[in-house]
Amino acid sequence: MTSFPASLLSLALLLCVLPLSSAWVSPAPSLLRPSSHMASHVASHVFSSSWRVPASVPRTRILQKCVTGPATSLSMSSENSQSKGAEEKIVVGGGCFWCTEAVFLAAPGILRAVSGYAGGKTDKPSYRQVVSGQTGHAECVELTFDPSVISLAQVLDLHMASHDPTQLNRQGVDVGTQYRSIILYSSDQQRTEALEAVARAQEEKGSRKFLGLIPIQSEVVTQVQPLEQFWPAESYHQDYYAKNPYDRYSVVNIAPKLRSNTIRAKIKEIEAQTSAP
């Protein structure tokens, strides 16, 4: 019987194992979000559609409010477009704006959510410039809401619940001043309510206990500052979750956040108030 060369046997085994290992190994969380502009963004961040978002994710309201369009505007859902109440805007930031945008588009009373940049010194910044950390801008979302449906206090409480405001200049694996927790106000009233929301969050965070026994000292580091200018982000950042529900960042980060007890409870609270007579 002719013996099979060992080198050829090893090569054959390697070729069989590689496809399996690539299917098992997921990238580290820090690789799930790109740190450069659109070309590398698309190449490194849009993954196979074999990833599926669980059916329980509340995407209906998000999809109703989102369309693919220019970065400067997003369409309203048919329900919200009929609202004749006064509109109000506020800009908030708390980590990746893809997550922030998705959370607010799942809430009633939010008419529009535009991802962009604010709080820095560079005019018309690009994504590449902002993620470099040199512009001073934070990734933010400009929220337009109907105060007859959702109050500013509820908007701000949802914002504080949607991220960890005790993390300084980061959210999880997203590290840098561009991911800082921030509220940018446009009036004295908004400033007052923003400070009150920070105080509420501090009281909540300060009462946490490890294993229900050991107090956890957590200081809320959310910045509250006047809005000078909001710069809409590039179009491929808008409606990110609605347009890319199956990529790994959406599955690993956004979908679990939307399913979290904290976010669902906040949204149900707003819905209950909206449906109350």
Side-chain angles (χ1 to χ4, degrees), residues 77-90:
S77 67
S78 57
E79 174 187 355
N80 283 334
S81 64
Q82 296 174 3
S83 173
K84 297 181 180 179
E87 295 182 1
E88 188 173 346
K89 290 184 180 182
I90 193 162

Side-chain angles (χ1 to χ4, degrees), residues 184-206:
L184 298 115
Y185 59 86
S186 300
S187 67
D188 290 341
Q189 179 62 31
Q190 285 191 348
R191 177 181 181 275
T192 298
E193 295 209 38
L195 292 174
E196 290 174 351
V198 170
R200 288 193 295 272
Q202 181 61 67
E203 182 178 358
E204 179 183 343
K205 300 296 182 183

Side-chain angles (χ1 to χ4, degrees), residues 10 36 71 81 84 99 105 114-115 135 144 195 220 223 233 242 252 260 276:
S10 299
S36 59
S81 64
K84 297 181 180 179
C99 290
L105 287 177
V114 181
S115 292
T135 67
T144 303
L195 292 174
V220 172
Q223 295 180 351
V252 172
S260 70

Side-chain angles (χ1 to χ4, degrees), residues 241-274:
Y241 179 59
K243 292 188 291 189
N244 304 278
Y246 303 133
D247 78 17
R248 295 190 184 187
Y249 191 87
S250 293
V251 172
V252 172
N253 295 279
I254 302 177
K257 180 169 288 192
L258 292 173
R259 289 200 311 268
S260 70
N261 291 335
T262 300
I263 297 303
R264 292 175 64 147
K266 288 289 184 184
I267 291 177
K268 284 183 179 179
E269 181 182 306
I270 298 168
E271 289 174 339
Q273 178 177 309
T274 302

Side-chain angles (χ1 to χ4, degrees), residues 55-190:
S56 60
V57 176
R59 291 184 57 233
T60 304
R61 188 179 286 115
I62 296 175
L63 292 173
Q64 285 178 336
K65 294 182 182 180
C66 292
V67 293
T68 302
T72 53
S73 66
L74 301 180
S75 71
M76 293 181 286
S77 67
S78 57
E79 174 187 355
N80 283 334
S81 64
Q82 296 174 3
S83 173
K84 297 181 180 179
E87 295 182 1
E88 188 173 346
K89 290 184 180 182
I90 193 162
V91 176
V92 299
C96 168
F97 47 22
W98 295 342
C99 290
T100 305
E101 177 192 76
V103 167
F104 279 102
L105 287 177
I110 300 298
L111 306 179
R112 291 179 295 280
V114 181
S115 292
Y117 317 112
K121 57 183 183 296
T122 302
D123 289 349
K124 299 179 181 179
S126 67
Y127 179 64
R128 179 188 291 275
Q129 290 175 313
V130 172
V131 298
S132 74
Q134 300 302 308
T135 67
H137 286 296
E139 289 194 11
C140 295
V141 176
E142 181 188 62
L143 302 169
T144 303
F145 62 98
D146 182 350
S148 69
V149 177
I150 181 172
S151 67
L152 177 57
Q154 289 174 317
V155 170
L156 295 174
D157 285 345
L158 180 57
H159 169 56
M160 300 302 284
S162 71
H163 70 292
D164 185 353
T166 67
Q167 293 193 21
L168 181 63
N169 297 329
R170 69 177 297 160
Q171 282 297 305
V173 298
D174 290 331
V175 180
T177 57
Q178 64 271 25
Y179 302 116
R180 65 188 183 273
S181 177
I182 189 170
I183 301 171
L184 298 115
Y185 59 86
S186 300
S187 67
D188 290 341
Q189 179 62 31
Q190 285 191 348

